[in-house]
Amino acid sequence: MNRKIEDYIRKTFTNNKAVVANPTCYIYDLQEITDRINEIDKYKLPNVSLYYAMKANPNKEVLKHVLKHKEVSGIEIASIGELNIARQIGLDDMSKVLFTGPGKTPQELEEAVKSKIRYINVESVVEAIRINDIAKRLNIPKVDILLRVNINYFLDGASEYMAGMSTKMGIDQSRFKEDYSYIKKLSHLNICGFHVFAADGVLDYNILLKYADFVFKFVKEAETVVGKVKVIDFGGGFGIDYTKAGMKFNTKDYFIKLGEILKKYSFEDKEIILELGKYIVGSAGYYATKIVDIKDCKGMKHIVTAGGVNHMRLPIATDRKHPVYIVKMNEDKLYNEQIEVKNETVDIEGPLCMTEDKISWDEYIENANIGDIVVLTQSGAYCYSASTLWFLSHELPLELIIK
Ligand SMILES: Cc1ncc(COP(=O)(O)O)c(C=O)c1O
Protein backbone atom coordinates (compact mmCIF):
# COMPACT_ATOMS: atom_id res chain seq x y z
CA MET A 1 0.00 0.00 0.00
CA ASN A 2 1.53 3.32 -0.98
CA ARG A 3 2.26 6.24 1.33
CA LYS A 4 -0.42 8.49 -0.21
CA ILE A 5 -3.17 6.01 0.69
CA GLU A 6 -1.77 5.38 4.17
CA ASP A 7 -1.74 9.12 4.93
CA TYR A 8 -5.25 9.52 3.53
CA ILE A 9 -6.53 6.73 5.79
CA ARG A 10 -4.82 8.16 8.87
CA LYS A 11 -6.28 11.62 8.18
CA THR A 12 -9.73 10.21 7.45
CA PHE A 13 -9.90 8.24 10.70
CA THR A 14 -8.74 11.34 12.61
CA ASN A 15 -10.69 14.17 10.96
CA ASN A 16 -13.69 12.83 9.06
CA LYS A 17 -16.52 13.09 11.62
CA ALA A 18 -18.68 10.42 10.00
CA VAL A 19 -15.79 7.95 9.92
CA VAL A 20 -14.75 8.79 13.49
CA ALA A 21 -18.33 8.02 14.58
CA ASN A 22 -18.59 4.83 12.48
CA PRO A 23 -14.97 3.81 12.00
CA THR A 24 -15.12 1.70 8.89
CA CYS A 25 -15.11 2.75 5.24
CA TYR A 26 -14.30 1.96 1.64
CA ILE A 27 -11.96 4.19 -0.31
CA TYR A 28 -11.82 4.23 -4.11
CA ASP A 29 -8.86 5.75 -5.92
CA LEU A 30 -10.15 7.05 -9.27
CA GLN A 31 -6.65 7.46 -10.75
CA GLU A 32 -6.09 3.70 -10.43
CA ILE A 33 -9.29 3.10 -12.41
CA THR A 34 -8.06 5.46 -15.14
CA ASP A 35 -4.71 3.67 -15.20
CA ARG A 36 -6.36 0.29 -15.70
CA ILE A 37 -8.61 1.60 -18.49
CA ASN A 38 -5.62 3.24 -20.20
CA GLU A 39 -3.64 0.02 -19.92
CA ILE A 40 -6.35 -1.89 -21.81
CA ASP A 41 -6.78 0.88 -24.34
CA LYS A 42 -3.06 1.03 -25.06
CA TYR A 43 -2.94 -2.58 -26.25
CA LYS A 44 -6.44 -3.56 -27.30
CA LEU A 45 -7.13 -4.50 -30.91
CA PRO A 46 -9.26 -2.15 -33.04
CA ASN A 47 -12.14 -4.67 -33.12
CA VAL A 48 -12.26 -5.02 -29.30
CA SER A 49 -14.86 -3.02 -27.33
CA LEU A 50 -14.43 -2.50 -23.62
CA TYR A 51 -17.53 -2.45 -21.40
CA TYR A 52 -17.68 -2.06 -17.62
CA ALA A 53 -19.48 -4.84 -15.71
CA MET A 54 -21.13 -2.56 -13.15
CA LYS A 55 -21.96 -5.40 -10.76
CA ALA A 56 -18.29 -5.20 -9.73
CA ASN A 57 -18.89 -1.80 -8.17
CA PRO A 58 -22.11 0.17 -8.72
CA ASN A 59 -20.98 3.17 -6.64
CA LYS A 60 -22.25 6.24 -8.51
CA GLU A 61 -18.99 8.20 -8.38
CA VAL A 62 -17.08 5.15 -9.59
CA LEU A 63 -19.56 4.54 -12.39
CA LYS A 64 -19.52 8.19 -13.45
CA HIS A 65 -15.75 8.13 -13.51
CA VAL A 66 -15.56 4.92 -15.57
CA LEU A 67 -18.03 6.28 -18.11
CA LYS A 68 -16.06 9.52 -18.49
CA HIS A 69 -13.46 7.54 -20.42
CA LYS A 70 -14.22 7.48 -24.14
CA GLU A 71 -12.26 4.21 -24.29
CA VAL A 72 -15.17 2.56 -22.43
CA SER A 73 -18.00 1.75 -24.84
CA GLY A 74 -20.62 1.32 -22.12
CA ILE A 75 -21.81 -0.90 -19.32
CA GLU A 76 -22.92 -4.45 -18.79
CA ILE A 77 -25.86 -4.63 -16.40
CA ALA A 78 -27.25 -7.64 -14.55
CA SER A 79 -30.56 -6.10 -13.46
CA ILE A 80 -32.87 -3.19 -14.17
CA GLY A 81 -31.81 -1.87 -10.76
CA GLU A 82 -28.34 -1.38 -12.23
CA LEU A 83 -29.83 0.31 -15.29
CA ASN A 84 -31.67 2.71 -12.97
CA ILE A 85 -28.43 3.61 -11.18
CA ALA A 86 -26.80 4.28 -14.54
CA ARG A 87 -29.73 6.50 -15.55
CA GLN A 88 -29.50 8.39 -12.26
CA ILE A 89 -25.90 9.36 -13.02
CA GLY A 90 -26.95 10.63 -16.44
CA LEU A 91 -26.48 7.73 -18.84
CA ASP A 92 -29.23 8.22 -21.38
CA ASP A 93 -27.70 6.59 -24.45
CA MET A 94 -29.14 3.10 -24.17
CA SER A 95 -27.03 1.87 -27.08
CA LYS A 96 -24.24 1.73 -24.49
CA VAL A 97 -25.96 -0.95 -22.42
CA LEU A 98 -25.71 -4.75 -22.51
CA PHE A 99 -27.95 -6.87 -20.25
CA THR A 100 -26.76 -10.29 -19.07
CA GLY A 101 -27.75 -12.69 -16.33
CA PRO A 102 -29.87 -15.75 -15.68
CA GLY A 103 -33.38 -15.27 -14.29
CA LYS A 104 -34.28 -11.92 -15.83
CA THR A 105 -37.93 -11.36 -14.97
CA PRO A 106 -40.50 -10.69 -17.73
CA GLN A 107 -40.79 -7.13 -16.34
CA GLU A 108 -37.04 -6.60 -16.61
CA LEU A 109 -37.02 -7.94 -20.16
CA GLU A 110 -39.85 -5.57 -21.08
CA GLU A 111 -37.96 -2.59 -19.68
CA ALA A 112 -34.84 -3.65 -21.61
CA VAL A 113 -36.81 -4.06 -24.86
CA LYS A 114 -38.62 -0.72 -24.42
CA SER A 115 -35.34 1.04 -23.59
CA LYS A 116 -33.78 -0.28 -26.81
CA ILE A 117 -30.54 -1.24 -25.12
CA ARG A 118 -27.77 -2.49 -27.40
CA TYR A 119 -27.96 -6.23 -26.72
CA ILE A 120 -29.90 -8.47 -24.40
CA ASN A 121 -27.80 -11.54 -23.73
CA VAL A 122 -30.33 -14.33 -23.95
CA GLU A 123 -29.72 -17.18 -21.54
CA SER A 124 -32.47 -19.67 -22.47
CA VAL A 125 -35.26 -20.52 -24.92
CA VAL A 126 -37.75 -19.22 -22.33
CA GLU A 127 -36.07 -15.81 -22.31
CA ALA A 128 -36.00 -15.76 -26.11
CA ILE A 129 -39.75 -16.49 -26.27
CA ARG A 130 -40.52 -13.82 -23.68
CA ILE A 131 -38.50 -11.16 -25.51
CA ASN A 132 -40.15 -12.11 -28.81
CA ASP A 133 -43.64 -11.86 -27.29
CA ILE A 134 -42.85 -8.47 -25.74
CA ALA A 135 -41.50 -7.12 -29.05
CA LYS A 136 -44.56 -8.38 -30.91
CA ARG A 137 -46.91 -6.74 -28.40
CA LEU A 138 -44.99 -3.44 -28.54
CA ASN A 139 -44.72 -3.49 -32.33
CA ILE A 140 -40.96 -3.54 -32.25
CA PRO A 141 -39.83 -5.34 -35.41
CA LYS A 142 -36.49 -6.66 -34.13
CA VAL A 143 -34.65 -6.87 -30.82
CA ASP A 144 -30.89 -7.34 -31.07
CA ILE A 145 -29.69 -10.23 -28.95
CA LEU A 146 -26.60 -12.30 -28.25
CA LEU A 147 -27.09 -15.95 -27.38
CA ARG A 148 -25.26 -16.92 -24.23
CA VAL A 149 -23.75 -20.38 -24.54
CA ASN A 150 -22.22 -22.50 -21.80
CA ILE A 151 -19.30 -23.78 -23.86
CA ASN A 152 -18.06 -27.36 -23.33
CA TYR A 153 -14.68 -26.17 -22.07
CA PHE A 154 -13.43 -25.87 -18.50
CA LEU A 155 -11.00 -22.99 -18.04
CA ASP A 156 -8.78 -24.53 -15.39
CA GLY A 157 -7.05 -21.79 -13.40
CA ALA A 158 -9.85 -19.32 -12.68
CA SER A 159 -11.18 -18.30 -9.27
CA GLU A 160 -14.89 -18.78 -10.08
CA TYR A 161 -16.61 -20.72 -12.85
CA MET A 162 -19.81 -19.75 -14.66
CA ALA A 163 -19.61 -22.33 -17.43
CA GLY A 164 -17.68 -25.35 -18.68
CA MET A 165 -19.65 -27.39 -16.17
CA SER A 166 -23.30 -27.70 -15.19
CA THR A 167 -24.50 -24.17 -14.24
CA LYS A 168 -27.61 -22.03 -14.69
CA MET A 169 -25.81 -19.69 -17.11
CA GLY A 170 -26.63 -19.69 -20.80
CA ILE A 171 -27.62 -22.49 -23.14
CA ASP A 172 -25.67 -25.73 -22.87
CA GLN A 173 -23.47 -26.10 -25.95
CA SER A 174 -24.57 -29.74 -26.14
CA ARG A 175 -28.20 -28.57 -26.56
CA PHE A 176 -27.40 -25.65 -28.80
CA LYS A 177 -28.75 -27.01 -32.11
CA GLU A 178 -31.93 -28.26 -30.46
CA ASP A 179 -32.57 -24.96 -28.64
CA TYR A 180 -31.67 -22.92 -31.70
CA SER A 181 -34.34 -24.75 -33.71
CA TYR A 182 -36.91 -23.02 -31.44
CA ILE A 183 -35.18 -19.66 -31.25
CA LYS A 184 -34.80 -19.29 -35.04
CA LYS A 185 -38.59 -19.33 -35.41
CA LEU A 186 -38.92 -16.19 -33.26
CA SER A 187 -39.24 -13.51 -35.90
CA HIS A 188 -38.72 -10.47 -33.63
CA LEU A 189 -35.22 -11.52 -32.63
CA ASN A 190 -32.07 -10.51 -34.43
CA ILE A 191 -29.23 -12.82 -33.39
CA CYS A 192 -26.09 -10.70 -33.62
CA GLY A 193 -23.66 -13.07 -31.93
CA PHE A 194 -22.69 -15.09 -28.91
CA HIS A 195 -21.94 -14.41 -25.28
CA VAL A 196 -19.52 -16.91 -23.77
CA PHE A 197 -18.39 -15.63 -20.37
CA ALA A 198 -17.06 -18.69 -18.55
CA ALA A 199 -14.86 -17.80 -15.60
CA ASP A 200 -13.64 -15.00 -13.43
CA GLY A 201 -10.31 -14.09 -11.85
CA VAL A 202 -7.89 -15.45 -14.45
CA LEU A 203 -4.37 -14.08 -14.02
CA ASP A 204 -2.66 -16.18 -16.68
CA TYR A 205 -3.74 -14.81 -20.06
CA ASN A 206 -2.81 -18.11 -21.79
CA ILE A 207 -5.81 -19.74 -20.12
CA LEU A 208 -8.15 -17.17 -21.68
CA LEU A 209 -6.48 -17.55 -25.08
CA LYS A 210 -6.92 -21.34 -25.12
CA TYR A 211 -10.56 -20.75 -24.31
CA ALA A 212 -10.86 -18.14 -27.09
CA ASP A 213 -9.52 -20.68 -29.58
CA PHE A 214 -12.13 -23.23 -28.47
CA VAL A 215 -14.89 -20.62 -28.65
CA PHE A 216 -13.91 -19.55 -32.16
CA LYS A 217 -14.09 -23.20 -33.26
CA PHE A 218 -17.63 -23.35 -31.82
CA VAL A 219 -18.62 -20.08 -33.54
CA LYS A 220 -17.27 -21.28 -36.92
CA GLU A 221 -19.39 -24.39 -36.65
CA ALA A 222 -22.45 -22.56 -35.28
CA GLU A 223 -22.31 -20.11 -38.19
CA THR A 224 -23.09 -22.98 -40.56
CA VAL A 225 -26.47 -23.14 -38.81
CA VAL A 226 -27.09 -19.57 -37.60
CA GLY A 227 -25.41 -17.68 -40.41
CA LYS A 228 -22.62 -15.13 -40.00
CA VAL A 229 -22.55 -13.30 -36.66
CA LYS A 230 -21.01 -9.91 -35.92
CA VAL A 231 -20.18 -10.17 -32.24
CA ILE A 232 -18.48 -12.46 -29.74
CA ASP A 233 -18.80 -11.28 -26.14
CA PHE A 234 -16.29 -12.89 -23.77
CA GLY A 235 -17.72 -11.19 -20.66
CA GLY A 236 -15.15 -10.52 -17.94
CA GLY A 237 -12.43 -12.61 -16.38
CA PHE A 238 -9.17 -10.63 -16.33
CA GLY A 239 -7.88 -11.31 -12.81
CA ILE A 240 -6.09 -9.28 -10.19
CA ASP A 241 -3.56 -10.63 -7.70
CA TYR A 242 -4.87 -10.98 -4.14
CA THR A 243 -1.38 -11.51 -2.71
CA LYS A 244 1.26 -8.93 -1.88
CA ALA A 245 3.35 -10.30 -4.79
CA GLY A 246 1.34 -7.93 -7.04
CA MET A 247 1.31 -10.02 -10.23
CA LYS A 248 -0.41 -8.31 -13.15
CA PHE A 249 -2.55 -9.67 -15.96
CA ASN A 250 -0.42 -9.21 -19.10
CA THR A 251 -2.80 -7.23 -21.31
CA LYS A 252 -0.16 -6.53 -23.96
CA ASP A 253 0.63 -10.20 -24.70
CA TYR A 254 -3.02 -11.18 -24.34
CA PHE A 255 -4.07 -8.85 -27.14
CA ILE A 256 -1.10 -9.68 -29.39
CA LYS A 257 -1.90 -13.39 -29.19
CA LEU A 258 -5.69 -12.85 -29.42
CA GLY A 259 -5.02 -11.04 -32.70
CA GLU A 260 -3.14 -14.10 -34.01
CA ILE A 261 -6.01 -16.44 -33.08
CA LEU A 262 -8.60 -14.12 -34.66
CA LYS A 263 -6.54 -14.19 -37.85
CA LYS A 264 -6.39 -18.00 -37.82
CA TYR A 265 -10.21 -18.10 -37.95
CA SER A 266 -10.53 -15.03 -40.25
CA PHE A 267 -12.55 -13.36 -37.49
CA GLU A 268 -10.79 -9.97 -37.57
CA ASP A 269 -14.02 -8.32 -38.76
CA LYS A 270 -16.03 -9.52 -35.74
CA GLU A 271 -16.50 -7.24 -32.77
CA ILE A 272 -14.99 -8.78 -29.64
CA ILE A 273 -16.64 -7.47 -26.49
CA LEU A 274 -15.01 -7.53 -23.08
CA GLU A 275 -17.19 -6.75 -20.06
CA LEU A 276 -14.54 -6.26 -17.39
CA GLY A 277 -15.31 -5.64 -13.75
CA LYS A 278 -12.59 -6.80 -11.39
CA TYR A 279 -9.72 -5.68 -13.61
CA ILE A 280 -11.08 -2.13 -13.93
CA VAL A 281 -12.02 -1.42 -10.31
CA GLY A 282 -10.63 -4.22 -8.11
CA SER A 283 -7.23 -2.71 -7.35
CA ALA A 284 -8.68 0.80 -6.88
CA GLY A 285 -10.49 -0.10 -3.64
CA TYR A 286 -9.44 -0.24 0.02
CA TYR A 287 -11.51 -1.47 2.92
CA ALA A 288 -10.45 0.19 6.18
CA THR A 289 -11.79 -0.60 9.63
CA LYS A 290 -10.71 0.30 13.15
CA ILE A 291 -9.48 -2.24 15.70
CA VAL A 292 -11.91 -2.03 18.62
CA ASP A 293 -10.54 -4.91 20.70
CA ILE A 294 -7.82 -7.55 20.82
CA LYS A 295 -8.48 -10.86 22.60
CA ASP A 296 -6.12 -13.59 23.69
CA CYS A 297 -8.12 -16.82 23.84
CA LYS A 298 -6.92 -20.39 24.30
CA GLY A 299 -3.51 -19.71 22.81
CA MET A 300 -4.44 -17.49 19.88
CA LYS A 301 -5.06 -13.77 19.45
CA HIS A 302 -8.07 -12.27 17.74
CA ILE A 303 -8.14 -8.75 16.35
CA VAL A 304 -11.75 -7.49 16.52
CA THR A 305 -12.64 -4.71 14.08
CA ALA A 306 -15.62 -2.36 13.74
CA GLY A 307 -16.68 -3.97 10.46
CA GLY A 308 -16.74 -7.63 9.52
CA VAL A 309 -18.32 -9.77 6.82
CA ASN A 310 -21.34 -7.48 6.95
CA HIS A 311 -19.11 -4.98 5.09
CA MET A 312 -16.49 -7.23 3.56
CA ARG A 313 -17.73 -10.70 2.73
CA LEU A 314 -15.57 -11.46 -0.31
CA PRO A 315 -12.55 -13.04 1.46
CA ILE A 316 -14.58 -15.56 3.48
CA ALA A 317 -17.01 -16.18 0.61
CA THR A 318 -14.20 -17.08 -1.78
CA ASP A 319 -11.81 -18.53 0.84
CA ARG A 320 -9.18 -16.11 -0.44
CA LYS A 321 -7.48 -13.51 1.73
CA HIS A 322 -6.75 -9.95 0.65
CA PRO A 323 -3.42 -8.25 1.41
CA VAL A 324 -3.61 -6.80 4.93
CA TYR A 325 -1.88 -3.64 6.16
CA ILE A 326 -2.01 -1.97 9.57
CA VAL A 327 -2.08 1.84 9.77
CA LYS A 328 -0.70 2.83 13.18
CA MET A 329 -2.78 5.40 15.10
CA ASN A 330 -0.81 5.35 18.37
CA GLU A 331 -3.84 5.66 20.66
CA ASP A 332 -3.27 5.63 24.42
CA LYS A 333 -3.72 2.29 26.17
CA LEU A 334 -6.86 1.86 28.30
CA TYR A 335 -4.86 -0.04 30.93
CA ASN A 336 -1.26 -1.11 31.35
CA GLU A 337 -1.72 -4.80 30.58
CA GLN A 338 -3.77 -4.14 27.44
CA ILE A 339 -3.08 -6.88 24.89
CA GLU A 340 -1.32 -6.01 21.66
CA VAL A 341 -0.19 -8.07 18.68
CA LYS A 342 3.57 -8.33 18.07
CA ASN A 343 5.06 -10.59 15.41
CA GLU A 344 2.37 -13.22 15.57
CA THR A 345 -0.28 -14.94 13.53
CA VAL A 346 -3.86 -13.90 14.26
CA ASP A 347 -7.40 -13.89 12.91
CA ILE A 348 -9.02 -10.53 12.06
CA GLU A 349 -12.71 -10.60 12.84
CA GLY A 350 -15.70 -8.28 12.82
CA PRO A 351 -18.35 -7.52 15.45
CA LEU A 352 -20.91 -10.11 14.33
CA CYS A 353 -22.03 -12.88 16.66
CA MET A 354 -20.70 -15.70 14.52
CA THR A 355 -17.26 -17.26 14.35
CA GLU A 356 -17.18 -17.18 10.53
CA ASP A 357 -17.15 -13.37 10.73
CA LYS A 358 -13.50 -13.14 9.63
CA ILE A 359 -12.14 -10.55 7.19
CA SER A 360 -8.75 -12.27 7.36
CA TRP A 361 -7.28 -15.30 9.12
CA ASP A 362 -3.90 -16.88 9.90
CA GLU A 363 -2.45 -13.47 9.15
CA TYR A 364 1.08 -12.64 10.31
CA ILE A 365 1.05 -9.17 11.87
CA GLU A 366 4.18 -7.33 12.98
CA ASN A 367 2.39 -4.96 15.29
CA ALA A 368 -1.21 -3.91 15.96
CA ASN A 369 -2.94 -2.15 18.81
CA ILE A 370 -6.48 -1.19 19.67
CA GLY A 371 -7.23 2.02 17.72
CA ASP A 372 -5.07 1.08 14.71
CA ILE A 373 -6.69 0.64 11.31
CA VAL A 374 -6.79 -2.65 9.43
CA VAL A 375 -6.71 -2.09 5.66
CA LEU A 376 -7.56 -4.72 3.08
CA THR A 377 -6.37 -3.77 -0.39
CA GLN A 378 -7.76 -5.09 -3.73
CA SER A 379 -11.23 -4.26 -2.37
CA GLY A 380 -12.78 -2.32 -5.24
CA ALA A 381 -14.75 -5.16 -6.85
CA TYR A 382 -17.50 -7.38 -5.43
CA CYS A 383 -16.81 -6.16 -1.89
CA TYR A 384 -19.23 -3.46 -0.67
CA SER A 385 -22.27 -4.47 -2.72
CA ALA A 386 -21.67 -8.23 -2.35
CA SER A 387 -21.65 -8.08 1.47
CA THR A 388 -24.44 -8.89 3.91
CA LEU A 389 -24.73 -5.18 4.66
CA TRP A 390 -27.76 -5.22 6.94
CA PHE A 391 -26.89 -8.24 9.06
CA LEU A 392 -26.96 -7.05 12.69
CA SER A 393 -28.06 -3.59 11.53
CA HIS A 394 -24.71 -1.88 11.91
CA GLU A 395 -24.22 1.45 10.14
CA LEU A 396 -23.14 1.07 6.54
CA PRO A 397 -19.49 1.79 5.81
CA LEU A 398 -18.92 5.14 4.17
CA GLU A 399 -17.66 5.08 0.58
CA LEU A 400 -15.01 7.74 0.00
CA ILE A 401 -13.46 8.81 -3.26
CA ILE A 402 -9.89 9.89 -3.93
CA LYS A 403 -10.12 12.02 -7.08
C1 LIG B 1 -21.98 -11.62 -17.54
C2 LIG B 1 -20.80 -11.08 -16.82
N1 LIG B 1 -19.98 -10.23 -17.47
C3 LIG B 1 -18.90 -9.71 -16.86
C4 LIG B 1 -18.59 -10.02 -15.56
C5 LIG B 1 -17.39 -9.37 -14.93
O1 LIG B 1 -16.42 -10.29 -14.60
P1 LIG B 1 -15.02 -9.82 -14.01
O2 LIG B 1 -15.30 -8.99 -12.83
O3 LIG B 1 -14.34 -11.10 -13.71
O4 LIG B 1 -14.31 -9.06 -15.07
C6 LIG B 1 -19.40 -10.91 -14.85
C7 LIG B 1 -19.09 -11.29 -13.47
O5 LIG B 1 -19.69 -12.10 -12.85
C8 LIG B 1 -20.55 -11.45 -15.49
O6 LIG B 1 -21.37 -12.28 -14.86
Side-chain angles (χ1 to χ4, degrees):
M1 189 171 65
N2 68 39
R3 193 58 197 262
K4 178 185 90 170
I5 301 289
E6 186 178 332
D7 288 347
Y8 180 89
I9 290 171
R10 192 171 283 110
K11 269 193 209 136
T12 299
F13 278 79
T14 309
N15 301 329
N16 182 317
K17 283 190 182 140
V19 174
V20 171
N22 171 33
T24 170
C25 63
Y26 276 92
I27 296 154
Y28 306 125
D29 180 358
L30 299 188
Q31 184 57 47
E32 174 67 15
I33 295 174
T34 296
D35 291 348
R36 296 281 65 77
I37 293 171
N38 288 346
E39 168 90 10
I40 298 271
D41 190 56
K42 187 166 164 194
Y43 299 116
K44 85 178 171 57
L45 305 164
N47 61 323
V48 171
S49 310
L50 175 62
Y51 282 73
Y52 172 52
M54 71 172 276
K55 60 172 78 67
N57 190 329
N59 175 282
K60 287 180 184 167
E61 293 296 320
V62 167
L63 186 59
K64 236 189 266 175
H65 181 71
V66 170
L67 287 172
K68 252 190 229 158
H69 297 82
K70 64 175 179 6
E71 300 83 2
V72 177
S73 301
I75 52 169
E76 181 265 339
I77 58 163
S79 71
I80 293 300
E82 289 188 345
L83 182 63
N84 291 338
I85 293 173
R87 281 181 163 139
Q88 284 160 20
I89 62 124
L91 183 77
D92 46 20
D93 180 356
M94 292 294 113
S95 71
K96 287 176 172 261
V97 179
L98 316 172
F99 188 10
T100 325
K104 302 179 197 79
T105 64
Q107 292 74 12
E108 286 185 301
L109 291 172
E110 178 150 348
E111 182 59 31
V113 172
K114 274 188 191 157
S115 303
K116 298 197 164 61
I117 66 167
R118 185 173 182 209
Y119 294 127
I120 303 177
N121 289 316
V122 170
E123 307 246 355
S124 68
V125 176
V126 168
E127 263 193 7
I129 293 171
R130 285 191 177 130
I131 296 167
N132 192 67
D133 288 351
I134 292 164
K136 201 160 144 192
R137 181 161 44 81
L138 298 177
N139 276 325
I140 295 174
K142 291 279 182 196
V143 177
D144 288 341
I145 62 161
L146 304 181
L147 291 177
R148 183 168 187 183
V149 181
N150 178 335
I151 298 286
N152 294 335
Y153 183 97
F154 186 73
L155 269 99
D156 208 3
S159 62
E160 199 184 339
Y161 298 93
M162 317 291 161
M165 56 188 195
S166 181
T167 69
K168 64 185 169 184
M169 319 294 177
I171 293 166
D172 186 357
Q173 184 186 339
S174 313
R175 296 179 50 92
F176 180 72
K177 282 193 182 147
E178 200 182 330
D179 283 3
Y180 178 69
S181 68
Y182 290 99
I183 294 172
K184 75 173 182 202
K185 292 182 203 141
L186 304 170
S187 60
H188 291 265
L189 302 185
N190 182 26
I191 300 169
C192 301
F194 295 102
H195 186 285
V196 292
F197 179 43
D200 148 295
V202 181
L203 259 179
D204 177 357
Y205 68 88
N206 288 300
I207 294 172
L208 290 181
L209 291 172
K210 278 192 200 138
Y211 179 60
D213 195 294
F214 195 92
V215 166
F216 293 161
K217 231 178 273 162
F218 160 76
V219 173
K220 258 279 185 267
E221 200 193 313
E223 282 186 327
T224 62
V225 182
V226 179
K228 271 221 168 311
V229 296
K230 297 187 293 191
V231 178
I232 301 171
D233 183 339
F234 278 104
F238 288 22
I240 59 171
D241 191 359
Y242 286 91
T243 72
K244 286 187 179 171
M247 260 170 63
K248 294 247 187 303
F249 185 90
N250 189 333
T251 47
K252 182 179 176 192
D253 289 358
Y254 169 79
F255 285 118
I256 291 173
K257 302 233 163 77
L258 181 68
E260 290 165 9
I261 306 172
L262 282 164
K263 200 165 171 201
K264 182 170 116 188
Y265 288 88
S266 306
F267 277 1
E268 299 103 311
D269 58 338
K270 294 199 193 299
E271 181 183 357
I272 302 296
I273 293 181
L274 297 176
E275 305 163 349
L276 301 186
K278 190 173 280 173
Y279 182 86
I280 294 181
V281 292
S283 53
Y286 301 81
Y287 176 61
T289 183
K290 190 168 183 159
I291 299 175
V292 290
D293 209 342
I294 297 177
K295 306 281 185 69
D296 190 348
C297 180
K298 303 189 199 310
M300 187 182 166
K301 286 191 185 159
H302 301 258
I303 289 180
V304 184
T305 48
V309 297
N310 51 333
H311 298 165
M312 181 53 167
R313 198 179 70 95
L314 189 68
I316 201 82
T318 52
D319 194 20
R320 180 194 53 217
K321 299 196 293 179
H322 287 225
V324 173
Y325 295 87
I326 304 290
V327 175
K328 297 298 299 169
M329 298 298 279
N330 301 317
E331 283 192 1
D332 291 340
K333 283 189 170 183
L334 291 159
Y335 68 113
N336 271 346
E337 289 75 32
Q338 183 172 305
I339 299 164
E340 65 176 326
V341 171
K342 249 204 158 101
N343 299 319
E344 51 202 316
T345 300
V346 300
D347 284 354
I348 305 177
E349 299 162 78
L352 309 182
C353 316
M354 54 195 230
T355 49
E356 316 86 83
D357 177 24
K358 295 178 199 288
I359 57 171
S360 195
W361 53 92
D362 298 331
E363 188 68 42
Y364 181 80
I365 300 285
E366 270 176 24
N367 180 228
N369 280 286
I370 293 173
D372 292 343
I373 311 301
V374 172
V375 182
L376 269 54
T377 62
Q378 307 291 70
S379 299
Y382 308 109
C383 290
Y384 181 96
S385 64
S387 296
T388 47
L389 289 165
W390 288 111
F391 187 49
L392 253 67
S393 303
H394 283 276
E395 293 276 317
L396 296 183
L398 227 65
E399 292 181 284
L400 303 170
I401 302 288
I402 303 182
K403 295 207 167 160

